[in-house]
Amino acid sequence: MAQSYQITLVEIGASAGAEVVVLSLLVWALTRRSAPDIAGRAPAAPTARRETIGVLAYGLAAQLLGAAIGIALGWHPISFHLAGTLIGGHEPIGIPETLGWCAYNLTVYAVAPYLWFRRRYDRTALCLRSSDRRRDLLVIGVVLVFSAVSQLVGLSAAILALDPRQLTLGIPLTFTLYLLGTGLPTLVFVQAILVPRFARLTGTSGAVLLGGLTYAALHLGDAWARFETVGQAVTSIGLVLLVYTFPGMFKAFLTVRTGNAWVHLWAYHAIAPHTLIDTAWIVRVFRI
């Protein structure tokens, strides 16, 4: 793993950790009188335990299959983030790889699990229906504004250097790709299915922690991670945990505090960081 990547990723992880602390305090203040009991929406403990183990095993198999498919096609391993996400990159990445990554993640982590669980659970049980739209919109607005400013200042303001044509074409394209390729997969697989079950089995604090660790684990196949040697594997795992655990915990915290898995998507995923930070990368990939 190149040293430059390590420095960049450590900086991203440190910035995310500080940002999450402030945002968590804001969200707690906004929801202190209205946080729902999402554990009560999950099935009884034996069923929740069985379903959780099954979903985690499915996720592991999906990660391994995605890596195998990506390598077989001459791409990067298919993981939760497209190669070059957040950190950019110098290796060539083609449009077919980008579309393939998006289609695989949408199908495997969003569509298939949703259809499976929707047969038995309604939208409220899956945290896909708001119980307080006014509160949820307030949380989304506050978190989105704060995180957008923080990320543009602390991570990258490359989007501000794009010309009008690049912005006009690049912003909706980036929003759509990352919504389908990582936003909805996180919404369904982690927030709607696993977080309520984690809450049933371990309590809300455990759900936040396990939600963060699960989110991080889904990025172990990201293109910058290396596993050729023990040293590379240890470094890669450590960086994955550093970069993704705190944002993943905050996403779970948003679901726990609002009971609405959609809140994390609009407040802290689809727009900030991905559309803000990754539009410049997608413009390069699609040669706009």
Side-chain angles (χ1 to χ4, degrees):
M1 185 181 303
Q3 182 69 17
S4 60
Y5 277 129
Q6 294 186 31
I7 293 172
T8 301
L9 290 167
V10 168
E11 291 173 347
I12 291 174
S15 174
E19 179 184 63
V20 161
V21 170
V22 177
L23 287 174
S24 296
L25 292 173
L26 288 173
V27 171
W28 178 86
L30 293 172
T31 60
R32 66 188 185 279
R33 297 178 181 175
S34 60
D37 174 24
I38 69 165
R41 301 178 182 180
T47 301
R49 186 177 300 108
R50 184 175 63 252
E51 290 178 344
T52 298
I53 293 172
V55 170
L56 292 175
Y58 172 85
L60 174 60
Q63 282 283 293
L64 294 174
L65 178 61
I69 290 174
I71 293 171
L73 293 174
W75 302 344
H76 297 86
I78 298 175
S79 189
F80 245 50
H81 275 170
L82 178 68
T85 295
L86 298 180
I87 62 174
H90 302 289
E91 298 179 6
I93 175 174
I95 294 175
E97 177 176 352
T98 304
L99 298 179
W101 162 82
C102 181
Y104 180 85
N105 281 2
L106 177 65
T107 302
V108 173
Y109 295 106
V111 175
Y114 175 79
L115 292 176
W116 179 267
F117 278 88
R118 189 64 178 85
R119 298 182 309 163
R120 295 185 58 188
Y121 301 102
D122 62 21
R123 290 171 57 205
T124 299
L126 294 173
C127 295
L128 294 175
R129 178 183 286 121
S130 174
S131 60
D132 189 336
R133 291 185 180 181
R134 185 174 182 179
R135 176 208 58 201
D136 291 350
L137 288 172
L138 178 61
V139 171
I140 290 170
V142 170
V143 172
L144 180 58
V145 170
F146 185 96
S147 58
V149 172
S150 173
Q151 290 161 14
L152 285 173
V153 172
L155 289 181
S156 173
I159 190 173
L160 302 180
L162 300 178
D163 63 39
R165 177 177 177 275
Q166 291 173 323
L167 290 171
T168 301
L169 298 177
I171 287 177
L173 179 59
T174 304
F175 174 82
T176 301
L177 286 171
Y178 280 93
L179 173 67
L180 300 179
T182 191
L184 291 178
T186 302
L187 170 80
V188 174
F189 192 83
V190 182
Q191 306 303 322
I193 296 173
L194 285 174
V195 168
R197 285 155 182 78
F198 287 154
R200 167 69 80 180
L201 297 172
T202 66
T204 54
S205 296
V208 171
L209 175 60
L210 292 174
L213 291 174
T214 302
Y215 181 72
L218 290 168
H219 293 82
L220 282 171
D222 277 13
W224 52 263
R226 297 290 181 269
F227 297 93
E228 286 82 3
T229 68
V230 173
Q232 288 180 339
V234 171
T235 300
S236 293
I237 292 171
L239 287 172
V240 166
L241 291 174
L242 174 66
V243 172
Y244 295 118
T245 302
F246 286 118
M249 289 175 65
F250 182 62
K251 296 176 196 299
F253 184 72
L254 285 168
T255 301
V256 166
R257 297 299 299 180
T258 65
N260 184 359
W262 290 100
V263 170
H264 107 272
L265 183 66
W266 307 126
Y268 197 73
H269 208 170
I271 300 171
H274 287 308
T275 301
L276 289 178
I277 305 302
D278 291 313
T279 293
W281 176 239
I282 294 300
V283 163
R284 177 180 172 185
V285 169
F286 281 79
R287 298 178 176 84
I288 297 174

